[in-house]
Amino acid sequence: MSESYIETKCIHEGYEPGNGEPRQIPICQSTTFKYDTSDEMGMLFDLEKEGYFYTRLQNPTNDAVAAKIASLEGGVAGMLTSSGQAANFFAVFNICEAGDHIIASSSIYGGTYNLFTVTMKKMGIECTIVDQNLPEEELDKYFKQNTKALFGETITNPTVNVLDIEKFAHLAHKHGVPLIVDNTFATPVNCQPIKWGADIVTHSTTKYMDGHAATVGGCIVDSGNFDWLAHAEKFPGLTTPDDSYHGVVYAERFGKAAYITKATVQLMRDLGSIQSPQNAFYLNLGLESLPVRMRQHCNNALKVAKYLEANDKVAWVNYPDLESSESHELFKKYLNGASCGVLCFGLKGTRKQAEIFMDSLKLADIETHVADSKTCLLHPASHTHRQMTDEQLKEAGVSPDLIRFSVGLENADDIIADLEQAFKLI
């Protein structure tokens, strides 16, 4: 079904029922799987045979959903994780160890920023944060001999700027490392980073893919395009024997599936950040309607963004679909005619007035979440990014007045009416 439209893939990819079998993906709610002989199970543990033996590593429900997401992104294989944070951690840790270095855009989500610069630093992995808008020759200077990956977000959270994926891919490949792109906000409906040179794509499936704020989850997709053996000295975890599996060399044994195989049989085995089969089932329900929902999110968001841009109580608005956005040219290049349902803006006046405005909204809720069916908002400097210093906030482009506004699936006129009544109180 590789030539099908994405609407069709969202419904049919990943699982094909046989005659008389369930039409919907079955929930394999079992921790373990039975075999007739000891030898058969031994072959599974030695990676000599494909199959299931313990859900911490693999589960049929999870694999079907991961295969669907991999198909949507144009990758060769995928793996579900317990959260988007777990996906980003596994994506990097799968190719890094103590003494290694990564480079990440300063505009990434605050939780990912902390993961890379604080938690992984304790593990001996250094992260350099860079301005993604710098010219290529300036970014080139940040690469080191021990650099193992370059990381960015297709649409940044919360600043909703668009990454120049081709620029980042060219830089990464020039230095023999993969580009990892978090595609959570755009989803494969509006952007497929692999087409533009990304090697590994991650998602917080908690957001638009689920779409209903019902399940936490994440996903990693491998393009299969990065040649690990061509850069064998940089990636010993993939190109030298793994003693925990009798000396298997992943890149030699598993070819294009080497990266996801290692992440599954090694990292998931040892760290266990699995997504439950029940959550994977709910995620698949969300995926089936993803294209329809994304169209409505984006239509609503553009209408709200234009309303805010014309409002004299609003100091500024950033939404890639607007011609006034600094990312509009990149939007036209990389996005499929629409970006996402998230925008950001700042109010004229004091921080106290901003608090009154937010507290006065009736339809839109103040909450940590983003990118689901209900309109919500938050103030990143006070909420998701509150652990960052003023200097770090400045680097990330998160101004003190920035309000992240996630436009839901309600009627756009009702969302605007809610904004209007709150503006009247300031």
Side-chain angles (χ1 to χ4, degrees):
M1 202 174 289
S2 60
E3 301 305 315
S4 299
Y5 288 100
I6 199 161
E7 293 85 353
T8 305
K9 287 185 176 184
C10 279
I11 294 171
H12 291 283
E13 284 286 359
Y15 171 70
E16 185 174 342
N19 186 47
E21 293 182 347
R23 188 167 183 238
Q24 184 55 275
I25 292 176
I27 305 170
C28 296
Q29 196 66 50
S30 179
T31 61
T32 191
F33 301 83
K34 178 256 184 189
Y35 287 90
D36 292 333
T37 68
S38 174
D39 185 58
E40 215 174 349
M41 182 165 282
M43 292 174 70
L44 292 170
F45 274 93
D46 285 344
L47 307 181
E48 293 176 356
K49 181 178 179 179
E50 290 187 10
Y52 301 96
F53 56 93
Y54 199 58
T55 283
R56 188 175 78 240
L57 280 87
Q58 287 180 282
N59 176 282
T61 308
N62 291 28
D63 282 1
V65 180
K68 175 177 285 188
I69 297 173
S71 176
L72 297 178
E73 286 289 6
V76 297
M79 181 182 79
L80 298 188
T81 61
S82 58
S83 67
Q85 282 290 89
N88 283 334
F89 171 63
F90 275 30
V92 172
F93 196 58
N94 200 35
I95 52 176
C96 288
E97 57 189 46
D100 286 342
H101 171 252
I102 62 172
I103 300 171
S105 164
S106 61
S107 300
I108 57 177
Y109 166 60
T112 311
Y113 188 105
N114 287 334
L115 170 67
F116 290 167
T117 62
V118 179
T119 301
M120 294 188 76
K121 183 178 180 181
K122 296 175 184 177
M123 303 169 72
I125 298 169
E126 178 192 4
C127 179
T128 298
I129 298 296
V130 299
D131 179 352
Q132 67 183 40
N133 296 317
L134 287 174
E136 196 169 319
E137 58 271 20
E138 288 296 313
L139 291 168
D140 190 73
K141 298 175 184 177
Y142 292 101
F143 284 83
K144 304 178 181 181
Q145 281 293 110
N146 62 337
T147 301
K148 297 298 176 70
L150 180 59
F151 184 95
E153 295 174 351
T154 307
I155 302 174
T156 58
N157 179 9
T159 52
V160 291
N161 289 316
V162 180
L163 178 70
D164 190 340
I165 303 172
E166 278 194 322
K167 179 178 75 174
F168 262 45
H170 182 263
L171 276 164
H173 298 157
K174 176 182 176 182
H175 292 273
V177 302
L179 171 61
I180 304 173
V181 174
D182 185 328
N183 197 34
T184 296
F185 271 14
T187 82
V189 173
N190 288 338
C191 183
Q192 296 170 327
I194 289 171
K195 289 183 177 179
W196 301 99
D199 300 288
I200 298 153
V201 173
T202 63
H203 284 275
S204 170
T205 62
T206 317
K207 309 305 189 297
Y208 287 121
M209 284 188 167
D210 163 35
H212 302 86
T215 59
V216 175
C219 186
I220 305 171
V221 173
D222 181 19
S223 70
N225 294 332
F226 193 84
D227 190 343
W228 305 105
L229 288 171
H231 308 283
E233 74 289 347
K234 278 185 173 288
F235 305 103
L238 283 155
T239 61
T240 61
D242 180 355
D243 293 336
S244 70
Y245 281 108
H246 306 298
V248 66
V249 178
Y250 295 103
E252 293 177 355
R253 171 85 70 85
F254 299 103
K256 287 184 177 294
Y259 175 89
I260 287 293
T261 300
K262 178 179 180 292
T264 302
V265 304
Q266 188 186 84
L267 296 191
M268 198 61 86
R269 175 197 65 189
D270 295 343
L271 300 174
S273 298
I274 62 168
Q275 185 169 150
S276 76
Q278 186 79 43
N279 279 6
F281 176 82
Y282 292 140
L283 169 58
N284 186 62
L285 294 180
L287 287 169
E288 290 188 350
S289 64
L290 181 62
V292 179
R293 290 186 291 103
M294 287 305 293
R295 280 194 290 272
Q296 188 63 26
H297 278 295
C298 295
N299 289 339
N300 280 357
L302 182 57
K303 193 169 183 178
V304 170
K306 289 179 176 178
Y307 161 78
L308 290 169
E309 196 171 42
N311 193 298
D312 59 8
K313 292 187 178 180
V314 175
W316 58 271
V317 182
N318 190 36
Y319 184 57
D321 308 49
L322 291 175
E323 291 186 9
S324 59
S325 170
E326 63 183 60
S327 288
H328 191 64
E329 290 304 312
L330 292 174
F331 158 80
K332 290 193 292 186
K333 177 177 180 178
Y334 293 115
L335 280 300
N336 185 28
S339 58
C340 64
V342 182
L343 56 88
C344 60
F345 64 97
L347 300 181
K348 296 176 182 176
T350 65
R351 185 161 177 170
K352 182 63 179 176
Q353 286 175 307
E355 290 175 359
I356 292 171
F357 166 77
M358 292 176 66
D359 293 349
S360 301
L361 291 166
K362 297 175 181 178
L363 184 67
D365 297 323
I366 300 173
E367 57 184 48
T368 305
H369 207 242
V370 66
D372 66 48
S373 60
K374 297 175 181 176
T375 297
C376 59
L377 76 162
L378 57 70
H379 181 244
S382 301
H383 303 144
T384 53
H385 291 60
R386 70 178 298 123
Q387 286 82 16
M388 296 170 69
T389 65
D390 289 344
E391 185 60 32
Q392 289 171 332
L393 286 169
K394 184 178 179 182
E395 284 181 3
V398 180
S399 59
D401 64 340
L402 187 151
I403 293 172
R404 185 184 72 184
F405 197 76
S406 179
V407 182
L409 298 177
E410 304 95 344
N411 188 287
D413 290 338
D414 286 330
I415 299 169
I416 290 170
D418 189 32
L419 290 166
E420 187 69 22
Q421 63 84 23
F423 278 127
K424 289 177 180 178
L425 300 177
I426 60 169

